[in-house]
Amino acid sequence: CEFDYSGTQALRSLREDGIETVLINSNPATIMTDPAMADHVYLLPLTTKSILQILKEHPQIDAVLPTMGGQTALNLCIEADEKGIWKDFGIEIIGVDIAAINITEDREQFKNLMQEIGIPMAPQATATSYLKGKEIAQEIGFPLVIRPSFTLGGYGGGFVDNQEEFNEALKRGLDASPIHEVLVEQSILGWKEYELELLRDNIGNVIIICSIENFDPMGVHTGDSITVAPAMTLPDTVYQKMRDMAITMMNAIGQFAGGCNVQFSVNPETDDIIGIEINPRVSRSSALASKATGYPIAKIA
């Protein structure tokens, strides 16, 4: 339900433009599933089987908007794309493109792209096997963080300080990832964590709606942390640099119009900035930023 805010705003905006909407959501306790919000509401499991059912019942559907439903919706959108469902029914994906989702979710691809555009990242490497993971750990050295590819909200990942913890976490991470892949990277535990909310139109103008600072340092998942908007302890020079980096990052992953959330970490002693990740969608932070600034991010996106 944390994406209820975005979903509700999106439905209202589409309705204002006279567009007929069909909503799928497995959670009946949301505002977006109220009959007044969408023209057709389906309370169904978020699976490709449900998508097929809806598309058969509504042959008039032209497009799908997955960016308002968080990571679950993006994963489902990719799965439907891989199965050729959108192509078979002539459905256009709006608000994001498949390539952008894949780049941001595939840790190896993302790392290579960031290197190309000159965005600093923590030393890291991907492993698709237990043996490869152990090799990487020896090269980088502890403490380390493990991030499985294509999982939601940090699921299956974790911080490790020694070999014993690492072996267990590596196995767990590989099992958690649907493509059996994890990123092993140097831990930046204790660094400061920031996010920027970006919006881009279809001719490439980008604006930063809001900066957000995590009250807790790196090592506490954003979802478990207090967040403050706007950022409170960011020197202007570091903020301007972060702004430029965020725009470069968003432009590098694709030229779609819509919202984007970029996360950074800053070394409190040196003010060095490293890129952590991009979400090519509105996120939980977008709802916070919308309420903190009064700017309706999902609506404009």
Side-chain angles (χ1 to χ4, degrees):
C1 58
E2 60 197 22
F3 289 97
D4 199 19
Y5 185 69
S6 309
T8 307
Q9 273 196 7
L11 288 167
R12 280 183 179 155
S13 312
L14 292 164
R15 180 158 275 185
E16 274 173 29
D17 283 342
I19 294 165
E20 188 180 339
T21 51
V22 184
L23 174 82
I24 174 171
N25 190 333
S26 56
N27 178 8
T30 51
I31 294 168
M32 69 171 99
T33 50
D34 288 0
M37 286 293 166
D39 296 295
H40 312 276
V41 175
Y42 284 85
L43 290 168
L44 290 173
L46 296 167
T47 61
T48 49
K49 192 179 162 193
S50 303
I51 300 280
L52 278 168
Q53 180 192 327
I54 292 170
L55 292 175
K56 281 171 187 163
E57 286 176 25
H58 297 275
Q60 76 278 25
I61 292 178
D62 302 298
V64 60
L65 178 64
T67 53
M68 301 292 163
Q71 192 62 50
T72 309
L74 289 191
N75 287 351
L76 183 57
C77 180
I78 291 174
E79 195 187 331
D81 185 66
E82 283 169 356
K83 290 181 176 174
I85 294 171
W86 307 130
K87 206 172 167 192
D88 291 349
F89 287 86
I91 305 286
E92 185 190 346
I93 298 166
I94 56 174
V96 71
D97 50 51
I98 289 287
I101 306 174
N102 282 327
I103 285 172
T104 56
E105 281 301 318
D106 185 315
R107 303 287 180 180
E108 186 75 18
Q109 249 187 317
F110 182 64
K111 182 188 78 173
N112 294 341
L113 180 66
M114 290 305 108
Q115 273 173 342
E116 268 170 49
I117 60 172
I119 303 291
M121 302 278 285
Q124 53 183 228
T126 43
T128 48
S129 72
Y130 186 72
L131 215 62
K132 179 74 183 148
K134 290 189 79 156
E135 270 175 37
I136 296 164
Q138 276 169 339
E139 276 168 38
I140 300 174
F142 294 103
L144 291 165
V145 62
I146 291 176
R147 302 175 187 276
S149 289
F150 289 97
T151 64
L152 179 61
Y155 173 73
F159 290 85
V160 291
D161 293 319
N162 54 50
Q163 195 66 52
E164 215 168 285
E165 285 177 9
F166 177 74
N167 296 350
E168 202 177 303
L170 177 62
K171 193 172 172 305
R172 189 176 64 230
L174 287 168
D175 289 345
S177 168
I179 58 166
H180 202 68
E181 176 187 276
V182 297
L183 180 79
V184 181
E185 73 176 5
Q186 180 193 11
S187 164
I188 41 175
L189 221 56
W191 284 33
K192 292 154 87 169
E193 188 174 2
Y194 297 95
E195 298 175 52
L196 295 182
E197 288 294 326
L198 284 70
L199 267 183
R200 179 172 56 198
D201 65 14
N202 61 351
I203 54 168
N205 297 307
V206 181
I207 54 171
I208 312 280
I209 305 298
C210 188
S211 60
I212 294 173
E213 179 168 351
N214 284 314
F215 185 78
D216 294 298
M218 290 294 295
V220 177
H221 189 268
T222 318
D224 300 320
S225 180
I226 298 166
T227 47
V228 183
M232 293 287 163
T233 67
L234 201 52
D236 189 54
T237 46
V238 183
Y239 172 61
Q240 295 305 330
K241 199 173 159 191
M242 197 181 275
R243 227 179 128 255
D244 294 344
M245 282 165 79
I247 294 170
T248 305
M249 286 160 83
M250 185 176 186
N251 286 332
I253 63 167
Q255 292 302 316
F256 56 92
C260 196
N261 163 266
V262 187
Q263 296 172 1
F264 293 100
S265 187
V266 174
N267 184 329
E269 283 162 22
T270 60
D271 280 345
D272 287 344
I273 310 173
I274 61 168
I276 302 175
E277 67 176 1
I278 297 184
N279 292 312
R281 55 176 168 82
V282 292
S283 67
R284 185 177 35 215
S285 317
S286 317
L288 168 75
S290 293
K291 289 173 182 176
T293 57
Y295 191 102
I297 294 175
K299 179 177 178 163
I300 307 297

